[in-house]
């Protein structure tokens, strides 16, 4: 486990990472967490007093990594780019969990559940992450409904998203 004070940084222009807020993890620090690793891996621990789990450290080259700190985390921390935070992190080898709401809904939809169970764990997580990322109950409900519909029609996550985007574009809303 590493315990260190870091400054929150923000990318202005960095391709897909433009606008991201993060803390930089040096090559030595990353090596102490997971020796000889250059790929993304999950960590757990805390940022200040905020408990974190199953967050990804993302490689940025030369053995360095970043730990993205999203808006909801910054809101809880009451911190922005330029502020210091105390991080205490270690590798997290726990299994990523699927959305409890999705699993409960699948119990009532045998066809959707059967198809969902044929998907790899990583593809199941696309649905779960999307559903749990909803900021309002209305959005979460809509995403659950779309997921069940897509899974009932044997669509993977990408197919389902494209289907509902096309439907939205055709109907103009």
């Amino acid at each position: 486990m590493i315990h260190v004070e870091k400054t929150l940084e923000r990318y202005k222009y960095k391709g897909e990472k433009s606008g991201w807020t993060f803390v930089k993890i040096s090559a030595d620090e990353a090596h102490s967490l997971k020796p000889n690793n250059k790929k993304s891996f999950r960590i757990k621990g805390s940022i200040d007093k905020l408990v974190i789990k199953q967050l990804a450290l993302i490689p940025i080259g030369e053995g360095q990594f970043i730990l993205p700190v999203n808006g909801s985390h910054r809101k809880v921390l009451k911190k922005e780019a330029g502020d210091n935070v105390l991080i205490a992190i270690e590798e997290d080898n726990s299994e990523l969990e699927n959305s409890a709401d999705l699993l409960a809904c699948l119990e009532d939809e045998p066809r959707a559940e059967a198809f969902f169970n044929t998907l790899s764990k990583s593809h199941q997580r696309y649905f779960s992450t999307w559903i749990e990322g909803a900021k309002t109950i209305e959005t979460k409900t809509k995403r659950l409904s779309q997921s069940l519909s897509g899974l009932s029609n044997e669509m993977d996550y990408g197919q389902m998203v494209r289907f509902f985007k096309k439907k939205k574009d055709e109907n103009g809303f």
Side-chain angles (χ1 to χ4, degrees), residues 30-147:
H31 181 77
S32 73
L33 294 171
K34 191 166 182 165
N36 302 317
N37 179 65
K38 294 185 179 183
K39 296 180 182 177
S40 181
F41 64 97
R42 302 236 172 239
I43 54 94
K44 62 182 176 182
S46 64
I47 303 173
D48 285 345
K49 293 185 181 186
L50 174 68
V51 175
I52 57 172
K53 64 179 183 173
Q54 298 180 338
L55 294 184
L57 282 187
I58 301 170
I60 59 170
E62 299 180 19
Q64 294 184 21
F65 287 76
I66 60 170
L67 171 60
V69 181
N70 67 29
S72 59
H73 289 157
R74 292 191 313 274
K75 187 175 181 177
V76 169
L77 294 167
K78 298 179 181 168
K79 303 272 178 111
E80 286 298 329
D83 293 334
N84 288 342
V85 291
L86 294 171
I87 64 167
I89 57 174
E90 64 185 328
E91 184 179 7
D92 188 349
N93 291 315
S94 64
E95 180 107 6
L96 288 171
E97 301 165 6
N98 281 320
S99 165
D101 291 329
L102 174 60
L103 295 177
C105 289
L106 285 171
E107 289 177 5
D108 295 331
E109 298 288 339
R111 182 180 167 117
E113 182 178 36
F115 182 71
F116 182 78
N117 289 332
T118 68
L119 299 173
S120 67
K121 294 247 186 241
S122 62
H123 285 240
Q124 290 176 358
R125 276 189 226 109
Y126 288 137
F127 286 95
S128 289
T129 301
W130 182 57
I131 290 165
E132 292 304 316
K135 293 181 176 136
T136 66
I137 190 67
E138 292 82 9
T139 300
K140 188 172 191 176
T141 302
K142 180 180 177 183
R143 290 179 181 184
L144 280 164
S145 174
Q146 289 178 341
S147 294

